[in-house]
Amino acid sequence: MRDGAAARNAAGATAGHGDPSEPPRPRGDGLDPGNAGQRTADGGAARHPASPGTDAAAGGDESAGQNSGYRAGGERHGGGTAIPVAGAGEATAARREGDRLRFVGAATRRIARGIDLDEIVLGLCRATVPTFSDAILVYLRDPLPVGDERPVGPVVLRLRRTDRLRPIDDLTDISSTIGAGMDLAGAAGAAGELDFSQLPLVGPQGDLPAAELCEIRPGGALAEVLRGVRPVFGSSAAARAALPELLGVDHPLPRGNRAVLAPLRGRRRVIGAAVFLRSPERPAFEQNDLLVAAQLATHTALGIDKAVLYGREAYIADELQRTMLPDSLPQPTGVRLASRYLPAAETARVGGDWYDAIPLPGSRVALVVGDVMGHSMTSAAIMGQLRTTAQTLAQLDLPPAEVLHHLDEQAQRLGSDRMATCLYAVYDPVAHRITIANAGHPPPVLLHLGGRAEVLRVPPGAPIGVGGVDFEAVELDAPAGATLLLYTDGLVESRLRDVWTGIEQLRERLATTAQLTGLDHPPPLEALCDDVLDMLGPGDRDDDIALLAARFDGIAPSDVAYWFLDPEETAPGRARRFARRALTRWGLEELSDSLELLVSEVVTNAVRYAERPVTLRLLRTDVLRCEVGDDSPQLPRQRRARDTDEGGRGLFLVNRLARRWGATRLSSGKVVWFELPLPGAQERR
């Protein structure tokens, strides 16, 4: 029995509390108290060289190992395990108090290293087992309160984690496998390779049948102990009544002062409890150990409080940013779109990257990508304001350079240090042209149908928020079948590469992907986005990434009809004749009645207020789209006409007969448009 106890102590010390991936600590670490002795096979204490100022006989005292409650910190030294011993006298007492202080310092540092909840609880368990206790059970409130939240239901504690020393029931087999020449301490060291200190993250198992859930009864024994905040021995009257309520009536408890119940109190309330247990073969807890337990519980509770608050803040910021990004992209005529967004690392996952696609009059579309500097909720909030401003300016159909100018003014109004980069492009599928203005953003990459990828030469510009700078726009060809890639700097820049190296790697990746899919047709848009993100390496996720890809299909000239109409009384009749001829040319005669009626109503309304020629345009794509433009900025509004009114029913007819309709204000007036489904479109869908 004595040999078994010594073996268990040796094996427990070898198992340790550190992570397997961590390198061994030097003996001076506070988790491995100094001046240690070793258990021999017969249960005695082996002598160590006497330290300065220490009685040489103290290390050989048979009772020395029984007077110290602290085990070695889990590091192996020469195949054996060190167990601190204490001799008689003031030197031994001072050394033991020093061991306690070093242990508390090292344990609290380990707990403080954790960022999230699981890391902090794991740090507490690994720091205390086996150095301070042979087993630990950590209970936390479920759910954990955040900030000033007050629980509305009963307080429930859930077993979050357990950790313990696993006893070695039989070392005979181990000794026979490692050889007869190894002593029992060496055998225990070899057994430590089998990892005796691990337990599952959640839930009791084996010889630790603790309850997983515990509801605290108001006014009960457990509630009184937790309200008292201070740790108590398991042998006290309060703990004897509280522990069965917490652990369950079937959980065995060691006799004497070999259990400590420590409440975990955060900044405002108790958030859980920790139970420290020692085996009968180990010295019982002392009065000073209650102070150690109180320190561990306090640091753990405060760390959990911070982790919960940090998690909530990160969640809110992440959701704020995601809700400010578009849920889905529009499906404008003549262009196909795809997008991706990747947050940065967990420690800085909130950023200010955004993208957008905004339909414009004339079947055009505005493509926007931007990046607010910084990683915080403030950056996400500024991003949302700038994105909203960009959408509003786009609806005014301002030129790209003018849009960036107004965004720059808005950023200055938000604050002197509110800076962002942005690229704003407008694609016209009828003209097959794209106009781009840049404000300090990485240039876009254009992948041609033949597989050639080029970095577009656009004026770099200054970031938004600098103020007092002009933005230039450049107009480029946008051939059908080409793909334009807009992105933020997180895709091409990291600690391992500069931005231009990353841009060149992106260009080469696009060209390689196009060659793999064939030169006669472009690669699938969604697969292309995924392939671009695959170029990121392990060290390339320093920043969040926004990616917007646009495939230019365009609208063929044969599918467009365009006329100018003088603002006179004969304009509606001429518009009906032009529309009828276009439908005959396209083989859509069955739409003549509906189209002529709606064109007549919209053109009549435009002629009433226009002073310059009215424009009429028909586009045949997957729908038949009609656009009527005039120089009056006043937008039409649908209203219900009275029975005696002679007018006011035109937009009512448009709303009833058209699939969709709308009106957009331009810098030079407005455009009213409507869409009619093509014959057989329902069957094709």
Side-chain angles (χ1 to χ4, degrees):
M1 185 67 184
R2 183 183 181 93
D3 292 347
R8 275 191 291 272
N9 284 341
T14 305
H17 58 273
D19 295 332
S21 60
E22 292 184 358
R25 295 186 195 81
R27 183 176 294 272
D29 195 317
L31 292 180
D32 187 8
N35 295 337
Q38 279 188 337
R39 286 279 183 188
T40 60
D42 60 354
R47 293 178 181 269
H48 272 227
S51 302
T54 304
D55 189 353
D61 188 355
E62 177 67 21
S63 63
Q66 302 296 330
N67 292 334
S68 175
Y70 288 79
R71 294 186 186 270
E75 289 71 34
R76 304 180 186 90
H77 304 285
T81 51
I83 300 178
V85 297
E90 297 180 357
T92 299
R95 185 170 62 249
R96 291 169 60 188
E97 293 305 316
D99 291 344
R100 284 193 177 93
L101 292 177
R102 285 192 296 272
F103 164 73
V104 170
T108 53
R109 286 194 299 271
R110 178 161 194 163
I111 294 170
R113 285 204 301 262
I115 297 178
D116 60 22
L117 181 62
D118 290 330
E119 288 180 352
I120 294 172
V121 175
L122 176 62
L124 171 65
C125 294
R126 295 294 174 82
T128 54
V129 177
T131 310
F132 182 69
S133 63
D134 293 324
I136 183 175
L137 301 97
V138 181
Y139 284 83
L140 296 180
R141 290 179 61 166
D142 186 25
L144 279 168
V146 180
D148 295 326
E149 289 183 359
R150 296 186 177 275
V152 294
V155 178
V156 176
L157 299 183
R158 178 180 293 274
L159 181 60
R160 186 75 183 193
R161 183 179 176 89
T162 64
D163 213 351
R164 74 186 188 281
L165 282 174
R166 293 185 179 179
I168 301 177
D169 297 329
D170 189 1
L171 286 178
T172 304
D173 296 337
I174 298 177
S175 300
S176 62
T177 57
I178 62 178
M182 183 178 292
D183 60 7
L184 192 57
E193 299 292 344
L194 303 178
D195 195 6
F196 285 93
S197 63
Q198 302 293 327
L199 269 188
L201 286 179
V202 177
Q205 285 191 4
D207 57 351
L208 211 61
E212 187 172 353
L213 287 176
C214 169
E215 181 176 335
I216 300 179
R217 294 181 289 104
L222 180 58
E224 293 300 322
V225 173
L226 297 181
R227 188 179 294 112
V229 179
R230 298 180 181 276
V232 294
F233 287 125
S235 58
S236 65
R240 282 199 304 268
L243 285 175
E245 182 181 346
L246 176 64
L247 306 179
V249 294
D250 296 330
H251 189 279
L253 295 177
R255 298 179 180 178
N257 292 344
R258 287 185 169 82
V260 172
L261 174 58
L264 301 178
R265 180 175 179 82
R267 290 174 176 81
R268 295 176 175 85
R269 61 181 64 85
V270 174
I271 60 174
V275 181
F276 304 94
L277 302 172
R278 284 185 179 178
S279 63
E281 294 84 2
R282 187 170 180 177
F285 289 108
E286 300 177 359
Q287 192 67 31
N288 287 340
D289 291 330
L290 293 180
L291 300 178
V292 174
Q295 286 288 327
L296 299 177
T298 299
H299 281 270
T300 301
L302 294 178
I304 291 173
D305 256 1
K306 291 188 294 184
V308 172
L309 289 173
Y310 171 79
R312 174 61 64 88
E313 179 180 347
Y315 170 79
I316 293 175
D318 190 50
E319 287 299 308
L320 174 66
Q321 183 175 26
R322 289 188 178 276
T323 54
M324 289 181 178
L325 295 175
D327 294 332
S328 60
L329 293 174
Q331 299 178 356
T333 303
V335 61
R336 285 173 286 170
L337 303 172
S339 64
R340 294 291 186 274
Y341 173 77
L342 290 180
E346 288 296 320
T347 54
R349 60 184 177 183
V350 181
D353 290 17
W354 91 90
Y355 61 89
D356 216 340
I358 309 168
L360 298 178
S363 299
R364 296 171 300 150
V365 60
L367 307 174
V368 191
V369 64
D371 183 5
V372 177
M373 297 183 182
H375 294 86
S376 63
M377 292 183 64
T378 302
S379 300
I382 295 175
M383 177 268 289
Q385 296 181 69
L386 292 180
R387 177 175 177 247
T388 303
T389 303
Q391 288 179 330
T392 304
L393 295 171
Q395 295 301 324
L396 298 177
D397 199 26
L398 299 177
E402 193 70 16
V403 171
L404 294 184
H405 175 73
H406 288 292
L407 283 176
D408 181 59
E409 293 180 339
Q410 174 67 9
Q412 294 180 66
R413 285 191 290 267
L414 294 176
S416 58
D417 57 345
R418 309 307 189 196
M419 299 181 64
T421 63
C422 181
L423 190 141
Y424 188 92
V426 175
Y427 169 64
D428 188 342
V430 177
H432 295 271
R433 303 283 288 178
I434 186 169
T435 305
I436 304 175
N438 189 15
H441 203 78
V445 180
L446 184 65
L447 176 63
H448 293 269
L449 183 58
R452 180 174 64 91
E454 65 169 326
V455 180
L456 297 182
R457 296 182 178 180
V458 297
I464 291 173
V466 173
V469 296
D470 293 329
F471 298 98
E472 300 180 29
V474 59
E475 187 173 349
L476 305 171
D477 288 330
T483 304
L484 183 69
L485 200 69
L486 309 179
Y487 53 90
T488 55
D489 58 355
L491 180 64
V492 295
E493 185 180 20
S494 69
R495 291 171 293 178
L496 305 179
R497 63 183 179 187
D498 61 85
V499 60
W500 289 108
T501 300
I503 292 175
E504 180 61 22
Q505 292 177 357
L506 174 61
R507 188 195 66 80
E508 294 175 354
R509 186 62 174 257
L510 291 174
T512 302
T513 303
Q515 293 174 1
L516 293 176
T517 56
L519 302 181
D520 56 341
H521 60 277
L525 203 56
E526 296 290 341
L528 181 64
C529 292
D530 294 334
D531 191 67
V532 166
L533 295 181
D534 287 341
M535 66 179 281
L536 297 173
D540 296 336
R541 292 293 304 282
D542 300 333
D543 197 0
D544 45 346
I545 298 171
L547 178 66
L548 179 62
R551 173 73 44 77
F552 300 143
D553 295 331
I555 300 177
S558 59
D559 292 329
V560 181
Y562 196 89
W563 302 276
F564 287 95
L565 303 172
D566 291 329
E568 53 190 24
E569 295 180 358
T570 61
R574 295 176 59 200
R576 289 193 296 269
R577 290 194 300 271
F578 292 149
R580 188 184 311 116
R581 293 173 186 173
L583 292 182
T584 302
R585 186 171 69 250
W586 292 334
L588 301 176
E589 292 87 350
E590 56 186 292
L591 294 179
S592 294
D593 293 340
S594 299
L595 181 62
E596 289 182 35
L597 175 61
L598 299 185
V599 165
S600 179
E601 293 293 340
V602 176
V603 171
T604 299
N605 189 72
V607 169
R608 180 178 302 174
Y609 301 101
E611 297 180 359
R612 298 178 182 178
V614 175
T615 61
L616 171 63
R617 185 165 74 166
L618 296 179
L619 298 100
R620 183 186 63 168
T621 56
D622 55 339
V623 296
L624 181 64
R625 182 182 177 98
C626 176
E627 299 174 351
V628 177
D630 61 72
D631 59 349
S632 174
Q634 183 178 357
L635 296 180
R637 292 287 183 263
Q638 183 180 354
R639 63 184 180 86
R640 182 175 298 275
R642 296 188 297 268
D643 295 339
T644 57
D645 291 343
E646 296 183 359
R649 296 176 177 85
L651 290 182
F652 178 78
L653 293 174
V654 174
N655 185 63
R656 293 297 300 269
L657 298 179
R659 192 182 74 166
R660 291 195 311 156
W661 76 278
T664 304
R665 181 179 286 110
L666 306 178
S667 57
S668 58
K670 68 174 180 295
V671 168
V672 180
W673 57 270
F674 62 86
E675 295 177 352
L676 293 175
L678 297 180
Q682 296 293 338
E683 288 78 2
R684 287 196 296 269
R685 286 197 293 267

